[in-house]
């Protein structure tokens, strides 16, 4: 707690002056263009990874970056928090992109890989049940994440599975059909401090280095007019 207080004081003394105009603007409302779903793991800091300012990302964080799928009628099959965030951000904010970002050495993935039982933590154990489909796909000898430890392979597969879960929500399906929304699967290698993006054409995650970053930016620029025109 001492670290937090000292950090707050440092922010007020040294950082806040350059952000006063930003916060004054944000006090009137928010207009993020990306919904970023990531793990609660303290080593994963979305704004740091992508160098964004306050107001740029609408962020959802939970253990294992899980998105419980929706059932008939669009109701979540589990806790309503993630579903509410999806509906609010896509229905009331100018969101054009959704990123699901997993990471290496994820404790949730290790627990799921070990069977999902967590003694003395019934809520956590129930929550991890949403990773069972990803575990099933790992056991089907998928090639995603080849060469990585099983927990990291599961983490990558889990990202792809949560993208499928997102598509069970009516608002996501409608936005995708209208061409006003894009879904992205990312994976953060903590040790290398490197973010990887899933390439459907290659069937694997690739590092977002200068070359891949330029390719992604070009692709986004080509799609952007269509997205805005439909909106």
């Amino acid at each position: 707690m001492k670290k937090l207080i000292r950090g707050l004081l440092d922010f007020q003394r040294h950082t806040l002056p350059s952000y006063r105009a930003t916060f004054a603007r944000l006090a009137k409302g928010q207009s993020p263009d990306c919904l970023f779903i990531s793990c609660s793991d303290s080593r994963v800091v979305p704004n740091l990874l992508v160098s964004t300012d306050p107001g740029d990302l609408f962020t959802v964080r939970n253990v294992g970056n899980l998105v419980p799928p929706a059932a008939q009628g669009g109701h979540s099959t589990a806790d309503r928090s993630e579903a509410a965030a999806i509906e609010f951000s896509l229905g009331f904010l100018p969101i054009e992109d959704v990123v699901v970002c997993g990471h290496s050495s994820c404790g949730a993935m290790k627990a799921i890989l070990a069977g999902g039982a967590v003694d003395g933590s019934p809520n956590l154990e129930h929550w991890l049940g949403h990773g069972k489909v990803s575990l099933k796909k790992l056991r089907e000898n998928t090639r995603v994440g080849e060469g990585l430890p099983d927990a990291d392979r599961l983490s990558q597969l889990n990202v792809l599975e949560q993208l499928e879960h997102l598509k069970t929500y009516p608002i996501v399906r409608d936005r995708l059909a209208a061409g006003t929304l894009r879904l992205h699967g990312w994976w953060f290698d903590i040790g290398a401090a490197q973010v990887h993006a899933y390439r459907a054409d290659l069937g694997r995650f690739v590092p977002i280095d200068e070359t891949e970053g330029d390719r992604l930016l070009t692709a986004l620029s080509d799609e952007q007019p269509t997205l805005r025109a439909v909106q």
Side-chain angles (χ1 to χ4, degrees):
M1 198 63 197
K2 290 180 180 178
K3 183 176 182 179
L4 269 63
I5 294 171
R6 292 190 182 107
L8 175 59
L9 294 174
D10 182 72
F11 170 78
Q12 293 174 343
R13 293 168 185 152
H14 304 112
T15 307
L16 181 56
S18 62
Y19 275 92
R20 285 197 184 279
T22 298
F23 283 111
R25 172 177 55 81
L26 291 174
K28 301 175 183 178
Q30 61 171 326
S31 56
D33 58 10
C34 180
L35 166 60
F36 200 97
I37 302 172
S38 66
C39 186
S40 299
D41 194 298
S42 62
R43 299 167 294 179
V44 180
V45 186
N47 290 86
L48 177 64
L49 293 179
V50 295
S51 300
T52 49
D53 286 329
D56 290 341
L57 296 180
F58 190 85
T59 307
V60 173
R61 303 188 66 172
N62 63 52
V63 176
N65 45 271
L66 298 169
V67 179
Q72 187 175 7
H75 294 285
S76 173
T77 56
D79 183 85
R80 298 290 193 268
S81 178
E82 285 70 28
I86 291 167
E87 291 176 353
F88 175 72
S89 62
L90 298 187
F92 298 93
L93 297 174
I95 301 295
E96 293 184 344
D97 296 276
V98 180
V99 174
V100 176
C101 184
H103 66 94
S104 63
S105 191
C106 180
M109 297 302 108
K110 292 177 181 178
I112 293 170
L113 194 62
V118 187
D119 292 340
S121 301
N123 294 295
L124 176 58
E125 184 172 318
H126 178 76
W127 178 252
L128 294 178
H130 296 297
K132 289 182 179 179
V133 177
S134 302
L135 180 61
K136 180 177 182 293
K137 291 186 176 180
L138 175 66
R139 290 172 173 168
E140 290 172 350
N141 297 315
T142 175
R143 298 187 63 182
V144 174
E146 279 186 318
L148 294 174
D150 282 349
D152 288 351
R153 292 183 64 208
L154 178 60
S155 179
Q156 291 193 349
L157 285 165
N158 184 63
V159 167
L160 302 182
E161 184 59 30
Q162 304 322 302
L163 292 176
E164 294 305 311
H165 288 185
L166 278 168
K167 295 174 186 176
T168 64
Y169 287 86
I171 193 168
V172 175
R173 290 200 304 267
D174 292 347
R175 292 280 309 271
L176 288 173
T180 64
L181 187 69
R182 296 173 293 218
L183 303 183
H184 313 270
W186 284 13
W187 188 77
F188 178 49
D189 183 338
I190 294 175
Q194 176 71 65
V195 175
H196 299 236
Y198 183 70
R199 289 276 301 271
D201 57 327
L202 301 178
R204 61 185 176 87
F205 286 80
V206 299
I208 306 180
D209 53 18
E210 290 289 339
T211 300
E212 181 63 15
D214 287 343
R215 189 195 71 81
L216 289 170
L217 289 171
T218 298
L220 291 173
S221 296
D222 292 341
E223 295 175 13
Q224 198 72 5
T226 303
L227 287 166
R228 288 179 176 168
V230 176
Q231 284 185 329

